[in-house]
Amino acid sequence: MAKSKNTEQKIFDAATELFLEKGVDRTSVREIANKAGINLALMNYYFRSKENLFDAIFTMLVKKNTRNLIKILDSDLGLEEKIRKYVEAYIDMLTDNPLLVSFVMAIVHRSQERIIQMKAISSLYSTSKFAQQIFDESKKGHIKPTSPTQLFVDMLSLITFPFAIKLLIMDKNNYDEAQFREFMEERKQRIPDLLLMSIKKEGE
Amino acid sequence: MAKSKNTEQKIFDAATELFLEKGVDRTSVREIANKAGINLALMNYYFRSKENLFDAIFTMLVKKNTRNLIKILDSDLGLEEKIRKYVEAYIDMLTDNPLLVSFVMAIVHRSQERIIQMKAISSLYSTSKFAQQIFDESKKGHIKPTSPTQLFVDMLSLITFPFAIKLLIMDKNNYDEAQFREFMEERKQRIPDLLLMSIKKEGE
DNA sequence: ATCGGGGTTTAAACTTTGTTTAAAACATCT
DNA sequence: AGATGTTTTAAACAAAGTTTAAACCCCGAT
């Protein structure tokens, strides 16, 4: 039992490292087995397939990195502060974990169907409290009547997509890494401003 | 010569159909050869590799579908009308070609490096005229000082990303296809409003 | 203590990929 | 007709993920 936990963990760790380093597709199962120092077939013994192993690792990474995002969204903060904190934390998270974006893209590409089955991702899109808040605020007349779904999709798009086309942006604007970082840093202010402006009542 | 053009075209057509239907990764070269009614090796004879074939098809699809997008961006329309037309045409295009999104994601995922080498994609991000326009308008005092890059990235993100997470949106909101279409239809108004509001001078 | 059995590990083989090879078939021009 | 260059073919190759069946190991029941 002790030994088995060990083996499973060794596979998991080796695969995580390789996936992050070279991407899923460019990492072979034999390589993982090598790095973990285990027999090739054990990978299929513990995880049913490479795809499955990927899912497990991805779920772990998402869970680990998005806990506080969800906490912010579900908190009792006011709308403005909540949006500002969320955007900032999200951008920080993706800046620190560039592979997460590429992982999500991998899933989106392979089969969108799977995305909705992965609870880790799905929970990222957990807006019940946020939606309620939008609803309440607009009822109270503090903000314009707003579709929570539209607003939330706006927010996700503005945060996430630039990371997906990072190299394109860098290429077209002759940015180096530091400049791209700066570009995203600006967006921490810009995105909340944009979103808040869109829900502000006319003439206030 | 006549026959060869024919073979090349047959491969191209069969592959296009299969790629669109099942995705690149889930389409094998043998399947393509089968559907095209040609020998397996001819695929490598005419296109050097499957990857290359994919590039050719992708370039064709993008070129075919984005001509007018670029035309709009480079036109002499006023800023507001230009943005409205562009957003609408872009959303229409992606609605009609859902596979393009998945193709772009495939490329983004495989290797971002390639994205900047593909002229087809790169030309989609052609903003010199648009950037100039922003610059002029803000100089003339018609709009707030605005970073063209930020604005353009905003626009692309708001348009494209929702298609990438289409199934997630549908799942979370219990949308069917028609309702998602309606959701994107709303965005044709919403996105330009958002962008234009963000560049409007205070108190006008 | 030992035997049997369940969970692990192993080496080897299997299947399916994309790709390459070398010869055959074909077409074209002199 | 024959030489030459292009196109097509069947077969084999390498690398990938996966499966198999036997070996191994540990542990509790007899």
Side-chain angles (χ1 to χ4, degrees):
Chain A
M1 200 45 135
K3 204 171 184 184
S4 94
K5 260 271 143 46
N6 215 330
T7 302
E8 188 171 352
Q9 195 61 43
K10 274 194 287 187
I11 298 171
F12 192 91
D13 293 343
T16 304
E17 207 170 315
L18 286 169
F19 284 174
L20 288 175
E21 183 186 324
K22 333 176 31 185
V24 185
D25 290 334
R26 270 181 278 279
T27 301
S28 79
V29 172
R30 282 165 180 80
E31 231 175 321
I32 297 172
N34 247 9
K35 177 154 200 154
I38 53 103
N39 184 279
L40 173 63
L42 286 177
M43 187 263 142
N44 284 77
Y45 179 75
Y46 284 103
F47 306 86
R48 290 199 326 277
S49 65
K50 185 188 178 186
E51 196 75 2
N52 227 48
L53 173 56
F54 168 75
D55 278 8
I57 291 174
F58 180 74
T59 301
M60 182 276 289
L61 285 176
V62 170
K63 268 198 187 140
K64 192 174 116 190
N65 288 294
T66 61
R67 242 188 288 275
N68 67 323
L69 290 182
I70 294 168
K71 217 182 292 170
I72 293 174
L73 217 54
D74 286 347
S75 74
D76 289 323
L77 291 171
L79 206 48
E80 166 156 5
E81 195 182 355
K82 179 178 284 192
I83 289 178
R84 292 198 184 280
K85 282 221 158 118
Y86 185 77
V87 171
E88 172 162 5
Y90 213 140
I91 288 180
D92 281 341
M93 192 272 281
L94 292 183
T95 301
D96 293 342
N97 302 278
L99 272 301
L100 271 192
V101 179
S102 134
F103 273 25
V104 173
M105 292 302 132
I107 295 180
V108 166
H109 166 236
R110 277 168 217 229
S111 72
Q112 283 227 24
E113 294 86 38
R114 278 189 36 227
I115 230 182
I116 58 184
Q117 289 161 351
M118 303 190 73
K119 283 217 299 255
I121 283 240
S122 201
S123 77
L124 251 183
Y125 191 121
S126 103
T127 56
S128 56
K129 172 121 191 191
F130 184 70
Q132 188 59 45
Q133 194 168 7
I134 302 282
F135 184 77
D136 291 345
E137 294 285 308
S138 79
K139 190 151 204 174
K140 281 191 246 165
H142 296 165
I143 62 171
K144 265 198 279 194
T146 305
S147 154
T149 300
Q150 290 282 9
L151 185 67
F152 192 67
V153 168
D154 288 343
M155 186 159 67
L156 279 189
S157 304
L158 290 167
I159 296 169
T160 310
F161 194 71
F163 285 101
I165 58 167
K166 174 177 169 183
L167 283 199
L168 194 57
I169 294 174
M170 288 174 65
D171 182 60
K172 285 292 182 174
N173 297 283
N174 282 93
Y175 287 170
D176 57 24
E177 280 290 339
Q179 285 169 308
F180 180 77
R181 228 186 168 79
E182 179 54 34
F183 177 78
M184 289 312 300
E185 204 60 35
E186 277 177 43
R187 292 183 75 73
K188 286 187 188 172
Q189 178 111 37
R190 178 181 182 78
I191 294 173
D193 286 352
L194 204 63
L195 296 174
L196 290 166
M197 193 179 291
S198 81
I199 61 176
K200 210 171 62 173
K201 296 203 81 172
E202 320 270 341
E204 281 186 32
Chain B
M1 200 46 136
K3 203 170 181 185
S4 95
K5 260 270 142 48
N6 215 329
T7 302
E8 189 172 351
Q9 195 61 45
K10 276 194 284 185
I11 297 170
F12 192 91
D13 293 344
T16 303
E17 205 170 315
L18 286 170
F19 283 174
L20 287 176
E21 182 187 322
K22 333 174 33 184
V24 185
D25 290 334
R26 269 181 278 279
T27 301
S28 77
V29 172
R30 281 164 181 81
E31 229 175 323
I32 297 172
N34 246 9
K35 177 154 202 154
I38 53 104
N39 184 280
L40 173 63
L42 287 177
M43 188 261 140
N44 284 75
Y45 179 75
Y46 284 103
F47 307 86
R48 291 199 323 280
S49 65
K50 184 187 177 185
E51 197 74 2
N52 227 49
L53 173 57
F54 169 74
D55 278 8
I57 291 174
F58 180 75
T59 300
M60 180 277 288
L61 284 176
V62 170
K63 269 201 186 134
K64 192 175 116 191
N65 288 295
T66 62
R67 242 188 290 275
N68 68 322
L69 289 183
I70 294 168
K71 217 183 292 172
I72 293 174
L73 217 54
D74 286 346
S75 75
D76 289 323
L77 291 171
L79 206 49
E80 167 157 4
E81 196 182 354
K82 179 177 286 193
I83 289 178
R84 290 197 186 282
K85 282 221 159 117
Y86 185 77
V87 170
E88 173 161 5
Y90 212 140
I91 288 179
D92 280 341
M93 192 272 282
L94 291 182
T95 302
D96 293 343
N97 301 277
L99 273 302
L100 269 193
V101 179
S102 133
F103 270 28
V104 173
M105 292 301 136
I107 294 181
V108 166
H109 165 55
R110 274 169 218 229
S111 70
Q112 283 229 22
E113 294 86 39
R114 279 189 37 227
I115 229 181
I116 59 185
Q117 289 161 352
M118 303 190 74
K119 284 218 298 254
I121 282 241
S122 201
S123 76
L124 250 183
Y125 190 122
S126 102
T127 55
S128 57
K129 173 122 191 188
F130 184 69
Q132 187 60 45
Q133 193 168 7
I134 302 281
F135 185 76
D136 291 346
E137 294 284 309
S138 79
K139 191 152 202 170
K140 279 193 247 167
H142 297 165
I143 62 171
K144 264 198 278 193
T146 304
S147 154
T149 300
Q150 290 282 10
L151 185 67
F152 192 68
V153 168
D154 288 343
M155 186 160 65
L156 280 189
S157 304
L158 290 166
I159 295 169
T160 310
F161 194 70
F163 285 101
I165 58 167
K166 174 177 170 183
L167 283 200
L168 194 56
I169 295 174
M170 288 175 65
D171 182 59
K172 285 292 181 172
N173 297 284
N174 282 94
Y175 287 169
D176 57 23
E177 280 289 339
Q179 284 170 306
F180 180 78
R181 227 184 169 81
E182 180 53 35
F183 177 78
M184 290 311 302
E185 203 62 35
E186 277 178 44
R187 291 184 75 73
K188 285 188 190 172
Q189 177 110 37
R190 179 181 181 78
I191 294 173
D193 286 350
L194 205 62
L195 297 173
L196 290 165
M197 193 178 291
S198 81
I199 62 176
K200 208 172 63 174
K201 296 203 81 171
E202 319 271 342
E204 282 184 35

